[in-house]
Amino acid sequence: MNSKEAAEMFGLTTDTVRYYERVGVIPPIKRDKNGYRVYTTRDLNWIYLAKSLRNAGVSIESLIEFATLSQLGGNVEQAQKQILQDQLQEITGKLEEMTKTRDLLQYKIDTYDEHIAKFKSGEVTSDNVEELWKVNHKN
């Protein structure tokens, strides 16, 4: 598979895939006798992992560290696993915060008309509004 096909497979540009290789987000891609990159399943796995982790907010630096360890050889598995665990923990925290925010938005949408009606009727004023941080937003 060539660069264009590999990039299209994951909805990336060839420039992005080549950038990932150049900075070390993915290991170097083997080339054929004419110097063209030839992507293997292993390479495609690296691209997919890099794209997925970048989409989740993982830093380029963490991806480079992970990929660099894979090229060192020796006993690097524990260090790589720790990087993955650290990233999972960070993403889990982000997901929890996003879930709370989603629940707040859903609550605001669900109660919006009622809330506006209470403001218009004078039942609620800016002095006696609910304290959003104290409201259970889960439905």
Side-chain angles (χ1 to χ4, degrees):
M1 182 174 290
N2 65 32
S3 294
K4 182 180 178 191
E5 294 167 329
E8 286 176 352
M9 182 176 200
F10 300 111
L12 299 169
T13 65
T14 53
D15 288 341
T16 298
V17 173
R18 289 177 183 152
Y19 169 77
Y20 282 174
E21 180 185 9
R22 186 174 65 253
V23 300
V25 168
I26 62 174
I29 307 299
K30 290 191 182 352
R31 297 174 182 252
D32 66 14
K33 63 182 184 219
N34 297 317
Y36 294 107
R37 291 172 179 87
V38 179
Y39 293 84
T40 64
T41 300
R42 181 178 182 270
D43 301 324
L44 297 174
N45 281 338
W46 273 101
I47 295 168
Y48 179 73
L49 179 66
K51 178 189 174 188
S52 298
L53 294 177
R54 284 296 296 145
N55 285 344
V58 173
S59 71
I60 290 285
E61 293 77 19
S62 291
L63 294 173
I64 292 169
E65 181 181 4
F66 185 79
T68 300
L69 284 170
S70 75
Q71 297 168 60
L72 292 177
N75 190 10
V76 297
E77 293 84 7
Q78 195 56 41
Q80 281 185 307
K81 186 176 181 180
Q82 187 60 53
I83 291 170
L84 294 175
Q85 288 171 331
D86 292 346
Q87 295 307 312
L88 178 60
Q89 185 176 9
E90 187 175 321
I91 288 171
T92 299
K94 288 178 184 177
L95 279 171
E96 289 170 358
E97 192 59 38
M98 297 278 291
T99 298
K100 289 177 187 175
T101 303
R102 183 199 64 212
D103 292 346
L104 171 60
L105 286 170
Q106 188 63 59
Y107 173 79
K108 289 296 291 176
I109 291 166
D110 292 347
T111 62
Y112 188 81
D113 293 332
E114 177 185 345
H115 185 76
I116 294 299
K118 286 181 179 180
F119 256 109
K120 287 182 177 180
S121 73
E123 182 181 341
V124 172
T125 67
S126 58
D127 294 327
N128 69 344
V129 295
E130 67 185 348
E131 297 170 331
L132 284 176
W133 60 96
K134 294 182 179 179
V135 177
N136 181 3
H137 305 295
K138 296 217 178 220
N139 295 332

